[in-house]
Amino acid sequence: MDKHRNSNQEKTKKDEQLEQFKVYDDNQPMTTNQGLRVSEDEHSLKAGARGPTLMEDFHFREKMTHFDHERIPERVVHARGFGAHGYFQVYESLKEYTRAKFLQDPSVKTPVFVRFSTVAGSRGSADTVRDVRGFATKFYTEEGNYDLVGNNMPVFFVQDAMKFPDFIHAVKPQPHNEIPQAQSAHDTFWDFVANNTESVHMVMWAMSDRAIPRSFRMMEGFGVHTFRFVNERGEAHFVKFHWKPVLGIHSLVWDEAQKLGGKDPDYNRRDLWDAIEAGNYPEFELGIQMIKEEEEFNFDFDILDPTKIWPEELIPVRIVGKMTLNRNTDNFFAETEQIAFHPGHVVPGIDFTNDPLLQGRLFSYTDTQLSRLGGPNFHEIPINRPIAPVHNNQRDGMHRMTINPGPVSYHKNAMANNSPFPVPAEQGGYEHYTEKVEGRKIRQRSDSFKDHYSQASMFWNSMSDVEKQHLVSAFQFELSKVKSKEIRQNIVDTFANVDGELARRISEGIGTIPPQKSGSASTKTSPALSMMNTKKSPMTRKVAVLAGNGYRDEELSAVLQQLKEAGVIAEVVSPKLGAITSDAVSRLEVQHSTLGADSVLFDAVLVAGGRQSVDELKMDPKVMDFVKEAYQHFKPIGALGEGVELLPTATAPGIVVLQPDETMQQFGQRLVDSIAAHRHWSRTF
Ligand code: HDE
């Protein structure tokens, strides 16, 4: 039995498997790694109390040696990540399209482990940097592990895996001085983009608000590549995978993201951890887009090109199942750090295409684990073990844990009745899709991959005015850090191929000549690309309740109750920690003092009423900054009674002030609606 956490939850097969490896130290005598009980653990063995330490001290040597080797190489990309356990369930059988069993039975709960990540930063970098987010899911299916190793953006920077090391070298800190950390705002990244225009579409996504998600729980996931579904009759469909967050897609604003880098570098991981601990389990629906084999060439883009999306209006996303994350890790290193994903971990019914980026990934992921996890047996690490049985003739190697008895370790054999033996597809054997291929050996890119601008332009055309402004500001921020004027100019000229207005607006303020070119590479739009069209929900939003002693209890209690019912999390912020007393007998525990809390840590603010409370808050200069900053970040702000005095204005979008003629119920509802809207962009300063 798991003694520590979530023990009332239904255990998956994966949970049971992991349980066997857990060691609980509660109420146990301390031992060495050899099981020898130790009598003392604070002093090394010395020749006299002031004398030298002795070689004989095996306990000291063991403890220190283990410590010296605690770190393993961080991932070469996606080094900073955070993971959680959960399960996936399909809504209806997809048997018609795929033989994958976990996509056929709605009653089956497939255990999953998800790791979210940033790409460029080191393990200790901040969560809220402008970057792509990794969204990697391992499904522990009865037929073996299936890994959907995706990102929160549906396209990629390069079209051929051959270019991946170059791209990553350009975006990572510059090699001569290892600056800057976790930022694309530097010369080499933008030099790469200007000289490798296949990146242009992805750069549009990376400069958009998608690159600064409010929460891992509020971002989409994409498999990026085109994969294949294959059914029992051997018939195939091209397929793209999507994860759609049930809470909708929401982002931070750039100023907030930068401040959070200092105020709470763990902002996104803390958010995920807290949500799961509180029972607010993150949910993502699985969506699929499918194209019939015979329709492969019906589009004005190549469906194998990973720098292209399949517009949702053209090829609808069908929602087929849901993933729920309901358990935090027991040990970050054992689970999140040691998990090894690989796009080549597939199950029967899921197959590949010739996307040259995907093909290269199929090599890279196993290869990289050899140095990161120290040898070929990383599949035996508990988090990586499938729940399906493993039988083959692979033997030995660093850190081998399995004990394979007997003399036979080869196929075919008679000594062990030819076991283990391969099985045909009907018995679950993986058979590759028999795609016909022919061609000359050639180092070349298909001509059908050459349009680098149309979909970048479609992305721009699909943005709302606010999103367009954020995009332009992001370009300007990044380019203002680029020292070479030539690179800045090259970028302006390159993006003029996407859209003349975009390039002209970027050019303003970065010391470049405005582009000659006007017009757009495409007039198309895809409404699904705009985050403005996403779901709006107050659920799990965090509200800072600013209150001091003498707050008016009757009003505040009523609103807090209503917020709770709407799934909003309210936390009291006051000049000092401890408890505050109301105008009646009640008290409130203060969760944050203004010394440690800032408005960037909250989604919204509510100022309590009460003369004494408001006067007390006014004495604290941090309180005024708190409300002002929330206002500047377009956040919902509510005020009760005298609380209105702390607001920069009482009448602006998203500001909810208790009116004399309204009931508390009406006020509460207006506040909840304002919180659900997430940000109030039409606010002016
Ligand atoms: Fe990765 N990528 N990648 N990548 N990737 C890795 O594998 C690579 C690409 C993605 O949480 C590495 O185990 C190549 C696209 C995620 O552990 C490495 C290419 C997409 C993660 C690697 C790509 C991704 C990785 C580093 C170009 C979205 C983190 C550590 C052909 C579909 C997984 C590791 C985790 C990690 C190689 C491009 C997603 C080096 C060669 C496109 C989410 O193997």
Side-chain angles (χ1 to χ4, degrees), residues 87-95 98 100-110 139 286 288 319-323:
Y87 62 90
F88 170 80
Q89 255 178 313
V90 74
Y91 287 147
E92 54 187 308
S93 176
L94 295 175
K95 197 172 177 174
T98 174
K101 292 250 167 57
F102 81 104
L103 294 174
Q104 293 188 4
D105 186 350
S107 71
V108 169
K109 283 186 175 180
T110 301
F139 298 80
L286 182 71
I288 53 171
I319 300 298
V320 298
K322 191 169 77 180
M323 173 166 76

PDB file of all heavy atoms in Angstrom, residues 87-95 98 100-110 139 286 288 319-323:
ATOM      1  N   TYR A  87      -4.238   8.986 -16.198  1.00  0.00           N
ATOM      2  CA  TYR A  87      -4.766   7.908 -17.032  1.00  0.00           C
ATOM      3  C   TYR A  87      -5.473   8.498 -18.244  1.00  0.00           C
ATOM      4  O   TYR A  87      -5.855   9.669 -18.257  1.00  0.00           O
ATOM      5  CB  TYR A  87      -5.711   7.001 -16.238  1.00  0.00           C
ATOM      6  CG  TYR A  87      -6.932   7.716 -15.708  1.00  0.00           C
ATOM      7  CD1 TYR A  87      -8.109   7.784 -16.464  1.00  0.00           C
ATOM      8  CD2 TYR A  87      -6.912   8.345 -14.461  1.00  0.00           C
ATOM      9  CE1 TYR A  87      -9.221   8.455 -15.982  1.00  0.00           C
ATOM     10  CE2 TYR A  87      -8.013   9.017 -13.977  1.00  0.00           C
ATOM     11  CZ  TYR A  87      -9.167   9.071 -14.744  1.00  0.00           C
ATOM     12  OH  TYR A  87     -10.262   9.747 -14.282  1.00  0.00           O
ATOM     13  N   PHE A  88      -5.605   7.646 -19.257  1.00  0.00           N
ATOM     14  CA  PHE A  88      -6.273   8.063 -20.494  1.00  0.00           C
ATOM     15  C   PHE A  88      -7.407   7.094 -20.795  1.00  0.00           C
ATOM     16  O   PHE A  88      -7.282   5.894 -20.589  1.00  0.00           O
ATOM     17  CB  PHE A  88      -5.280   8.055 -21.655  1.00  0.00           C
ATOM     18  CG  PHE A  88      -5.948   8.242 -22.994  1.00  0.00           C
ATOM     19  CD1 PHE A  88      -6.313   9.514 -23.420  1.00  0.00           C
ATOM     20  CD2 PHE A  88      -6.248   7.146 -23.801  1.00  0.00           C
ATOM     21  CE1 PHE A  88      -6.966   9.691 -24.634  1.00  0.00           C
ATOM     22  CE2 PHE A  88      -6.902   7.327 -25.016  1.00  0.00           C
ATOM     23  CZ  PHE A  88      -7.256   8.603 -25.432  1.00  0.00           C
ATOM     24  N   GLN A  89      -8.518   7.656 -21.276  1.00  0.00           N
ATOM     25  CA  GLN A  89      -9.656   6.822 -21.672  1.00  0.00           C
ATOM     26  C   GLN A  89     -10.202   7.302 -22.990  1.00  0.00           C
ATOM     27  O   GLN A  89     -10.413   8.517 -23.171  1.00  0.00           O
ATOM     28  CB  GLN A  89     -10.768   6.942 -20.621  1.00  0.00           C
ATOM     29  CG  GLN A  89     -10.878   5.741 -19.730  1.00  0.00           C
ATOM     30  CD  GLN A  89     -11.945   5.923 -18.672  1.00  0.00           C
ATOM     31  OE1 GLN A  89     -12.011   6.965 -18.016  1.00  0.00           O
ATOM     32  NE2 GLN A  89     -12.783   4.913 -18.513  1.00  0.00           N
ATOM     33  N   VAL A  90     -10.434   6.382 -23.903  1.00  0.00           N
ATOM     34  CA  VAL A  90     -11.005   6.753 -25.196  1.00  0.00           C
ATOM     35  C   VAL A  90     -12.525   6.869 -25.043  1.00  0.00           C
ATOM     36  O   VAL A  90     -13.119   6.162 -24.228  1.00  0.00           O
ATOM     37  CB  VAL A  90     -10.561   5.698 -26.251  1.00  0.00           C
ATOM     38  CG1 VAL A  90     -11.313   4.386 -26.087  1.00  0.00           C
ATOM     39  CG2 VAL A  90     -10.661   6.214 -27.657  1.00  0.00           C
ATOM     40  N   TYR A  91     -13.147   7.835 -25.764  1.00  0.00           N
ATOM     41  CA  TYR A  91     -14.608   8.018 -25.634  1.00  0.00           C
ATOM     42  C   TYR A  91     -15.387   6.943 -26.393  1.00  0.00           C
ATOM     43  O   TYR A  91     -16.428   6.485 -25.972  1.00  0.00           O
ATOM     44  CB  TYR A  91     -15.025   9.383 -26.184  1.00  0.00           C
ATOM     45  CG  TYR A  91     -14.636  10.566 -25.301  1.00  0.00           C
ATOM     46  CD1 TYR A  91     -14.298  11.788 -25.886  1.00  0.00           C
ATOM     47  CD2 TYR A  91     -14.615  10.475 -23.915  1.00  0.00           C
ATOM     48  CE1 TYR A  91     -13.957  12.886 -25.105  1.00  0.00           C
ATOM     49  CE2 TYR A  91     -14.269  11.561 -23.134  1.00  0.00           C
ATOM     50  CZ  TYR A  91     -13.950  12.766 -23.724  1.00  0.00           C
ATOM     51  OH  TYR A  91     -13.612  13.840 -22.954  1.00  0.00           O
ATOM     52  N   GLU A  92     -14.883   6.627 -27.597  1.00  0.00           N
ATOM     53  CA  GLU A  92     -15.557   5.606 -28.404  1.00  0.00           C
ATOM     54  C   GLU A  92     -14.491   4.846 -29.176  1.00  0.00           C
ATOM     55  O   GLU A  92     -13.397   5.378 -29.380  1.00  0.00           O
ATOM     56  CB  GLU A  92     -16.556   6.267 -29.373  1.00  0.00           C
ATOM     57  CG  GLU A  92     -15.891   7.332 -30.199  1.00  0.00           C
ATOM     58  CD  GLU A  92     -16.860   8.134 -31.052  1.00  0.00           C
ATOM     59  OE1 GLU A  92     -17.629   7.518 -31.777  1.00  0.00           O
ATOM     60  OE2 GLU A  92     -16.780   9.361 -30.990  1.00  0.00           O
ATOM     61  N   SER A  93     -14.815   3.658 -29.620  1.00  0.00           N
ATOM     62  CA  SER A  93     -13.800   2.824 -30.257  1.00  0.00           C
ATOM     63  C   SER A  93     -13.316   3.421 -31.583  1.00  0.00           C
ATOM     64  O   SER A  93     -14.108   3.868 -32.408  1.00  0.00           O
ATOM     65  CB  SER A  93     -14.363   1.431 -30.502  1.00  0.00           C
ATOM     66  OG  SER A  93     -13.396   0.678 -31.204  1.00  0.00           O
ATOM     67  N   LEU A  94     -12.004   3.391 -31.786  1.00  0.00           N
ATOM     68  CA  LEU A  94     -11.432   3.841 -33.066  1.00  0.00           C
ATOM     69  C   LEU A  94     -10.986   2.640 -33.905  1.00  0.00           C
ATOM     70  O   LEU A  94     -10.115   2.742 -34.760  1.00  0.00           O
ATOM     71  CB  LEU A  94     -10.243   4.779 -32.806  1.00  0.00           C
ATOM     72  CG  LEU A  94     -10.566   6.105 -32.123  1.00  0.00           C
ATOM     73  CD1 LEU A  94      -9.302   6.881 -31.807  1.00  0.00           C
ATOM     74  CD2 LEU A  94     -11.489   6.952 -32.999  1.00  0.00           C
ATOM     75  N   LYS A  95     -11.623   1.494 -33.619  1.00  0.00           N
ATOM     76  CA  LYS A  95     -11.256   0.235 -34.269  1.00  0.00           C
ATOM     77  C   LYS A  95     -11.284   0.334 -35.805  1.00  0.00           C
ATOM     78  O   LYS A  95     -10.499  -0.301 -36.487  1.00  0.00           O
ATOM     79  CB  LYS A  95     -12.262  -0.835 -33.801  1.00  0.00           C
ATOM     80  CG  LYS A  95     -11.827  -2.240 -34.041  1.00  0.00           C
ATOM     81  CD  LYS A  95     -12.819  -3.175 -33.365  1.00  0.00           C
ATOM     82  CE  LYS A  95     -12.473  -4.546 -33.646  1.00  0.00           C
ATOM     83  NZ  LYS A  95     -12.316  -5.626 -33.765  1.00  0.00           N
ATOM     84  N   THR A  98      -7.753   2.149 -36.376  1.00  0.00           N
ATOM     85  CA  THR A  98      -6.479   1.682 -35.803  1.00  0.00           C
ATOM     86  C   THR A  98      -6.663   0.406 -35.002  1.00  0.00           C
ATOM     87  O   THR A  98      -7.687   0.231 -34.336  1.00  0.00           O
ATOM     88  CB  THR A  98      -5.835   2.754 -34.903  1.00  0.00           C
ATOM     89  OG1 THR A  98      -4.673   2.193 -34.266  1.00  0.00           O
ATOM     90  CG2 THR A  98      -6.770   3.276 -33.826  1.00  0.00           C
ATOM     91  N   ALA A 100      -4.777  -0.213 -32.546  1.00  0.00           N
ATOM     92  CA  ALA A 100      -4.273   0.064 -31.189  1.00  0.00           C
ATOM     93  C   ALA A 100      -5.367  -0.227 -30.167  1.00  0.00           C
ATOM     94  O   ALA A 100      -6.423   0.409 -30.175  1.00  0.00           O
ATOM     95  CB  ALA A 100      -3.813   1.506 -31.081  1.00  0.00           C
ATOM     96  N   LYS A 101      -5.107  -1.178 -29.287  1.00  0.00           N
ATOM     97  CA  LYS A 101      -6.144  -1.636 -28.346  1.00  0.00           C
ATOM     98  C   LYS A 101      -6.565  -0.536 -27.375  1.00  0.00           C
ATOM     99  O   LYS A 101      -7.735  -0.441 -27.002  1.00  0.00           O
ATOM    100  CB  LYS A 101      -5.634  -2.855 -27.559  1.00  0.00           C
ATOM    101  CG  LYS A 101      -5.450  -4.091 -28.421  1.00  0.00           C
ATOM    102  CD  LYS A 101      -6.504  -5.149 -28.086  1.00  0.00           C
ATOM    103  CE  LYS A 101      -6.577  -6.268 -29.107  1.00  0.00           C
ATOM    104  NZ  LYS A 101      -5.299  -6.982 -29.326  1.00  0.00           N
ATOM    105  N   PHE A 102      -5.611   0.300 -26.977  1.00  0.00           N
ATOM    106  CA  PHE A 102      -5.961   1.309 -25.962  1.00  0.00           C
ATOM    107  C   PHE A 102      -6.869   2.390 -26.549  1.00  0.00           C
ATOM    108  O   PHE A 102      -7.426   3.189 -25.811  1.00  0.00           O
ATOM    109  CB  PHE A 102      -4.707   1.906 -25.307  1.00  0.00           C
ATOM    110  CG  PHE A 102      -4.028   3.002 -26.089  1.00  0.00           C
ATOM    111  CD1 PHE A 102      -4.169   4.329 -25.707  1.00  0.00           C
ATOM    112  CD2 PHE A 102      -3.241   2.711 -27.185  1.00  0.00           C
ATOM    113  CE1 PHE A 102      -3.544   5.349 -26.410  1.00  0.00           C
ATOM    114  CE2 PHE A 102      -2.604   3.716 -27.897  1.00  0.00           C
ATOM    115  CZ  PHE A 102      -2.759   5.043 -27.516  1.00  0.00           C
ATOM    116  N   LEU A 103      -7.034   2.365 -27.875  1.00  0.00           N
ATOM    117  CA  LEU A 103      -7.943   3.321 -28.516  1.00  0.00           C
ATOM    118  C   LEU A 103      -9.253   2.644 -28.934  1.00  0.00           C
ATOM    119  O   LEU A 103      -9.977   3.146 -29.771  1.00  0.00           O
ATOM    120  CB  LEU A 103      -7.259   3.954 -29.729  1.00  0.00           C
ATOM    121  CG  LEU A 103      -6.045   4.843 -29.406  1.00  0.00           C
ATOM    122  CD1 LEU A 103      -5.347   5.307 -30.682  1.00  0.00           C
ATOM    123  CD2 LEU A 103      -6.460   6.059 -28.567  1.00  0.00           C
ATOM    124  N   GLN A 104      -9.522   1.479 -28.346  1.00  0.00           N
ATOM    125  CA  GLN A 104     -10.720   0.748 -28.774  1.00  0.00           C
ATOM    126  C   GLN A 104     -11.765   0.541 -27.688  1.00  0.00           C
ATOM    127  O   GLN A 104     -12.938   0.428 -27.985  1.00  0.00           O
ATOM    128  CB  GLN A 104     -10.305  -0.621 -29.334  1.00  0.00           C
ATOM    129  CG  GLN A 104      -9.520  -0.487 -30.629  1.00  0.00           C
ATOM    130  CD  GLN A 104      -9.271  -1.820 -31.292  1.00  0.00           C
ATOM    131  OE1 GLN A 104      -9.751  -2.851 -30.817  1.00  0.00           O
ATOM    132  NE2 GLN A 104      -8.540  -1.805 -32.381  1.00  0.00           N
ATOM    133  N   ASP A 105     -11.331   0.495 -26.447  1.00  0.00           N
ATOM    134  CA  ASP A 105     -12.288   0.127 -25.398  1.00  0.00           C
ATOM    135  C   ASP A 105     -12.480   1.280 -24.401  1.00  0.00           C
ATOM    136  O   ASP A 105     -11.592   1.563 -23.601  1.00  0.00           O
ATOM    137  CB  ASP A 105     -11.759  -1.126 -24.677  1.00  0.00           C
ATOM    138  CG  ASP A 105     -12.760  -1.657 -23.663  1.00  0.00           C
ATOM    139  OD1 ASP A 105     -13.770  -0.959 -23.393  1.00  0.00           O
ATOM    140  OD2 ASP A 105     -12.524  -2.762 -23.126  1.00  0.00           O
ATOM    141  N   PRO A 106     -13.662   1.935 -24.452  1.00  0.00           N
ATOM    142  CA  PRO A 106     -13.887   3.082 -23.561  1.00  0.00           C
ATOM    143  C   PRO A 106     -13.831   2.740 -22.076  1.00  0.00           C
ATOM    144  O   PRO A 106     -13.674   3.631 -21.245  1.00  0.00           O
ATOM    145  CB  PRO A 106     -15.291   3.566 -23.934  1.00  0.00           C
ATOM    146  CG  PRO A 106     -15.564   2.984 -25.275  1.00  0.00           C
ATOM    147  CD  PRO A 106     -14.800   1.708 -25.351  1.00  0.00           C
ATOM    148  N   SER A 107     -13.917   1.457 -21.738  1.00  0.00           N
ATOM    149  CA  SER A 107     -13.886   1.118 -20.308  1.00  0.00           C
ATOM    150  C   SER A 107     -12.448   0.996 -19.790  1.00  0.00           C
ATOM    151  O   SER A 107     -12.219   0.897 -18.590  1.00  0.00           O
ATOM    152  CB  SER A 107     -14.654  -0.180 -20.044  1.00  0.00           C
ATOM    153  OG  SER A 107     -13.922  -1.260 -20.559  1.00  0.00           O
ATOM    154  N   VAL A 108     -11.478   0.980 -20.702  1.00  0.00           N
ATOM    155  CA  VAL A 108     -10.086   0.791 -20.280  1.00  0.00           C
ATOM    156  C   VAL A 108      -9.448   2.116 -19.883  1.00  0.00           C
ATOM    157  O   VAL A 108      -9.493   3.090 -20.632  1.00  0.00           O
ATOM    158  CB  VAL A 108      -9.260   0.134 -21.417  1.00  0.00           C
ATOM    159  CG1 VAL A 108      -7.770   0.163 -21.105  1.00  0.00           C
ATOM    160  CG2 VAL A 108      -9.728  -1.289 -21.635  1.00  0.00           C
ATOM    161  N   LYS A 109      -8.857   2.133 -18.682  1.00  0.00           N
ATOM    162  CA  LYS A 109      -8.095   3.297 -18.242  1.00  0.00           C
ATOM    163  C   LYS A 109      -6.620   2.974 -18.443  1.00  0.00           C
ATOM    164  O   LYS A 109      -6.079   2.127 -17.734  1.00  0.00           O
ATOM    165  CB  LYS A 109      -8.338   3.574 -16.762  1.00  0.00           C
ATOM    166  CG  LYS A 109      -9.665   4.231 -16.458  1.00  0.00           C
ATOM    167  CD  LYS A 109      -9.716   4.594 -14.978  1.00  0.00           C
ATOM    168  CE  LYS A 109     -10.983   5.373 -14.653  1.00  0.00           C
ATOM    169  NZ  LYS A 109     -11.061   5.729 -13.237  1.00  0.00           N
ATOM    170  N   THR A 110      -5.988   3.630 -19.393  1.00  0.00           N
ATOM    171  CA  THR A 110      -4.567   3.374 -19.650  1.00  0.00           C
ATOM    172  C   THR A 110      -3.725   4.319 -18.793  1.00  0.00           C
ATOM    173  O   THR A 110      -3.882   5.544 -18.908  1.00  0.00           O
ATOM    174  CB  THR A 110      -4.255   3.603 -21.147  1.00  0.00           C
ATOM    175  OG1 THR A 110      -5.077   2.730 -21.914  1.00  0.00           O
ATOM    176  CG2 THR A 110      -2.796   3.351 -21.460  1.00  0.00           C
ATOM    177  N   PHE A 139       2.090   6.394 -22.649  1.00  0.00           N
ATOM    178  CA  PHE A 139       0.923   5.559 -22.345  1.00  0.00           C
ATOM    179  C   PHE A 139       1.452   4.151 -22.037  1.00  0.00           C
ATOM    180  O   PHE A 139       2.130   3.560 -22.885  1.00  0.00           O
ATOM    181  CB  PHE A 139       0.005   5.442 -23.569  1.00  0.00           C
ATOM    182  CG  PHE A 139      -0.595   6.733 -24.068  1.00  0.00           C
ATOM    183  CD1 PHE A 139       0.129   7.603 -24.853  1.00  0.00           C
ATOM    184  CD2 PHE A 139      -1.929   7.041 -23.792  1.00  0.00           C
ATOM    185  CE1 PHE A 139      -0.435   8.773 -25.352  1.00  0.00           C
ATOM    186  CE2 PHE A 139      -2.507   8.208 -24.275  1.00  0.00           C
ATOM    187  CZ  PHE A 139      -1.753   9.083 -25.055  1.00  0.00           C
ATOM    188  N   LEU A 286      -8.080  14.269 -26.147  1.00  0.00           N
ATOM    189  CA  LEU A 286      -7.277  13.887 -27.311  1.00  0.00           C
ATOM    190  C   LEU A 286      -8.087  14.141 -28.577  1.00  0.00           C
ATOM    191  O   LEU A 286      -9.231  13.719 -28.681  1.00  0.00           O
ATOM    192  CB  LEU A 286      -6.880  12.403 -27.237  1.00  0.00           C
ATOM    193  CG  LEU A 286      -5.998  11.919 -28.390  1.00  0.00           C
ATOM    194  CD1 LEU A 286      -4.588  12.494 -28.302  1.00  0.00           C
ATOM    195  CD2 LEU A 286      -5.913  10.391 -28.423  1.00  0.00           C
ATOM    196  N   ILE A 288      -8.011  14.050 -32.966  1.00  0.00           N
ATOM    197  CA  ILE A 288      -7.271  13.546 -34.134  1.00  0.00           C
ATOM    198  C   ILE A 288      -7.789  14.213 -35.400  1.00  0.00           C
ATOM    199  O   ILE A 288      -8.970  14.527 -35.521  1.00  0.00           O
ATOM    200  CB  ILE A 288      -7.376  12.004 -34.286  1.00  0.00           C
ATOM    201  CG1 ILE A 288      -8.847  11.541 -34.273  1.00  0.00           C
ATOM    202  CG2 ILE A 288      -6.593  11.287 -33.194  1.00  0.00           C
ATOM    203  CD1 ILE A 288      -9.011  10.075 -34.639  1.00  0.00           C
ATOM    204  N   ILE A 319     -12.659  14.853 -31.442  1.00  0.00           N
ATOM    205  CA  ILE A 319     -12.271  14.591 -30.051  1.00  0.00           C
ATOM    206  C   ILE A 319     -12.583  13.132 -29.736  1.00  0.00           C
ATOM    207  O   ILE A 319     -13.718  12.684 -29.878  1.00  0.00           O
ATOM    208  CB  ILE A 319     -13.030  15.538 -29.090  1.00  0.00           C
ATOM    209  CG1 ILE A 319     -12.694  17.000 -29.425  1.00  0.00           C
ATOM    210  CG2 ILE A 319     -12.714  15.222 -27.626  1.00  0.00           C
ATOM    211  CD1 ILE A 319     -11.243  17.392 -29.265  1.00  0.00           C
ATOM    212  N   VAL A 320     -11.563  12.381 -29.314  1.00  0.00           N
ATOM    213  CA  VAL A 320     -11.756  10.932 -29.181  1.00  0.00           C
ATOM    214  C   VAL A 320     -11.495  10.378 -27.776  1.00  0.00           C
ATOM    215  O   VAL A 320     -11.706   9.197 -27.532  1.00  0.00           O
ATOM    216  CB  VAL A 320     -10.875  10.170 -30.195  1.00  0.00           C
ATOM    217  CG1 VAL A 320     -11.265  10.528 -31.620  1.00  0.00           C
ATOM    218  CG2 VAL A 320      -9.388  10.441 -29.966  1.00  0.00           C
ATOM    219  N   GLY A 321     -11.016  11.203 -26.872  1.00  0.00           N
ATOM    220  CA  GLY A 321     -10.757  10.652 -25.542  1.00  0.00           C
ATOM    221  C   GLY A 321     -10.262  11.719 -24.597  1.00  0.00           C
ATOM    222  O   GLY A 321     -10.173  12.890 -24.963  1.00  0.00           O
ATOM    223  N   LYS A 322      -9.976  11.306 -23.373  1.00  0.00           N
ATOM    224  CA  LYS A 322      -9.553  12.298 -22.375  1.00  0.00           C
ATOM    225  C   LYS A 322      -8.457  11.743 -21.467  1.00  0.00           C
ATOM    226  O   LYS A 322      -8.503  10.585 -21.058  1.00  0.00           O
ATOM    227  CB  LYS A 322     -10.749  12.729 -21.528  1.00  0.00           C
ATOM    228  CG  LYS A 322     -10.430  13.941 -20.657  1.00  0.00           C
ATOM    229  CD  LYS A 322     -11.671  14.522 -20.015  1.00  0.00           C
ATOM    230  CE  LYS A 322     -12.117  13.692 -18.851  1.00  0.00           C
ATOM    231  NZ  LYS A 322     -13.312  14.210 -18.198  1.00  0.00           N
ATOM    232  N   MET A 323      -7.504  12.618 -21.171  1.00  0.00           N
ATOM    233  CA  MET A 323      -6.435  12.264 -20.232  1.00  0.00           C
ATOM    234  C   MET A 323      -6.623  13.089 -18.964  1.00  0.00           C
ATOM    235  O   MET A 323      -6.883  14.285 -19.034  1.00  0.00           O
ATOM    236  CB  MET A 323      -5.095  12.604 -20.872  1.00  0.00           C
ATOM    237  CG  MET A 323      -3.909  12.444 -19.945  1.00  0.00           C
ATOM    238  SD  MET A 323      -2.382  12.458 -20.857  1.00  0.00           S
ATOM    239  CE  MET A 323      -2.204  14.206 -21.223  1.00  0.00           C
TER     240      MET A 323
END
